Amino acid sequence: MTHTRTQLMMSLVSGLMLGVAFYHLLPHSIALEQGSVDRSVWWLMLGLIGMLLMLRMFHFHQHDFSLEEGVHYEHGHGHSHGHVNGQEGVHSLSWVGIALGLGVHTLIDGVALGAVMVGESHSHTTVLAGFGVFLAILLHKPLDAMSITSVMEAGGWSPRARLATNLAFALLCPLGALAFYFGIDSLTGSPEVLVGAALAFSAGAFICIALSDLLPEVHFHSHDRGKLTAAFLLGIVLAYGIGAIEPSSMHH
């Protein structure tokens, strides 16, 4: 996983997450909220602000884990980007804060996946249900997992410990999805309204991750601008394309 490939993946995922938020999560939320745009936007803002506060508190995304140790890439605003594997003085427990922040973030992703599955099951269709959300999570989670294990490696942790942590992290998203999917009926209130709120909240979290974390990381690079922009636009087109081949009943 080279530096350039990492940046291309981040560009693609950021576009995909934005597209999923605006073409899938938010419209479905408004539909389940009986057309209440205001209520959906309130939940979207709560998700965006909540994720932003988590990013500020834990600073948990460290996306450069290529093997090009000691190499620095110039950023557009005078910043230089070092590599995790080349960092010096990494504390043996530095990964804990990253894992904690990414763990909560991943549970929210799981809630998004569970919510879109519940929401689309209420519309009596299962074709491609939740595929856009699933794809965004599928492409994003390996980057997060590598962030954790790379910092663990730099801190001197054994391969067995890194593998155990990676497996535990991999279980969080499906656990969050299953907990929401099977637990929504036990909550008080209308299931449709609760699912609509969860979808809008997840849309806000996706938008925040894309705009405040992934895109700035890519934007500050002065190299490969054309390829990175093309990858970002491809992600948006992919999200839109998924919506275009969904059954029309999903969008009514």
Side-chain angles (χ1 to χ4, degrees):
M1 197 66 182
T2 65
H3 174 81
T4 299
R5 289 172 183 169
T6 302
Q7 299 299 311
L8 286 171
M9 179 62 75
M10 289 169 57
S11 296
L12 175 69
V13 170
S14 61
L16 181 61
M17 292 186 81
L18 278 179
V20 165
F22 285 112
Y23 294 136
H24 299 268
L25 295 177
L26 185 58
H28 290 185
S29 169
I30 294 171
L32 289 170
E33 294 281 359
Q34 287 84 46
S36 176
V37 177
D38 288 345
R39 192 157 54 222
S40 290
V41 171
W42 268 107
W43 280 106
L44 183 147
M45 290 300 297
L46 287 175
L48 192 154
I49 294 170
M51 184 58 69
L52 180 63
L53 292 177
M54 280 181 51
L55 284 168
R56 297 287 292 175
M57 185 182 303
F58 294 105
H59 192 63
F60 48 74
H61 275 128
Q62 310 218 4
H63 284 301
D64 208 340
F65 32 73
S66 70
L67 299 178
E68 303 158 13
E69 296 188 19
V71 178
H72 289 263
Y73 291 87
E74 293 303 321
H75 290 59
H77 292 271
H79 302 288
S80 64
H81 190 77
H83 295 272
V84 170
N85 287 343
Q87 288 179 351
E88 297 180 0
V90 175
H91 192 274
S92 63
L93 294 179
S94 297
W95 66 275
V96 174
I98 296 174
L100 181 61
L102 286 174
V104 177
H105 165 30
T106 302
L107 286 173
I108 294 174
D109 288 342
V111 168
L113 185 57
V116 76
M117 293 297 292
V118 173
E120 292 173 357
S121 68
H122 285 174
S123 60
H124 306 293
T125 179
T126 58
V127 180
L128 293 178
F131 181 70
V133 177
F134 170 76
L135 187 60
I137 295 172
L138 178 68
L139 295 177
H140 188 207
K141 289 301 105 179
L143 297 173
D144 292 344
M146 289 183 192
S147 300
I148 298 172
T149 55
S150 295
V151 175
M152 290 183 71
E153 182 180 9
W157 287 81
S158 67
R160 179 175 296 181
R162 299 199 302 269
L163 177 61
T165 303
N166 198 23
L167 289 174
F169 179 70
L171 290 173
L172 288 177
C173 185
L175 285 176
L178 290 171
F180 189 91
Y181 188 85
F182 291 107
I184 183 65
D185 291 333
S186 64
L187 299 176
T188 58
S190 170
E192 287 82 6
V193 172
L194 292 174
V195 172
L199 290 174
F201 184 91
S202 302
F206 273 38
I207 293 168
C208 181
I209 290 294
L211 294 183
S212 70
D213 185 54
L214 297 178
L215 273 184
E217 178 72 13
V218 173
H219 176 69
F220 289 147
H221 283 259
S222 59
H223 61 88
D224 298 320
R225 287 179 177 174
K227 290 192 291 186
L228 296 178
T229 302
F232 170 69
L233 295 176
L234 177 61
I236 295 178
V237 170
L238 182 58
Y240 182 80
I242 293 170
I245 60 177
E246 285 178 342
S248 59
S249 59
M250 282 186 171
H251 303 281
H252 292 167

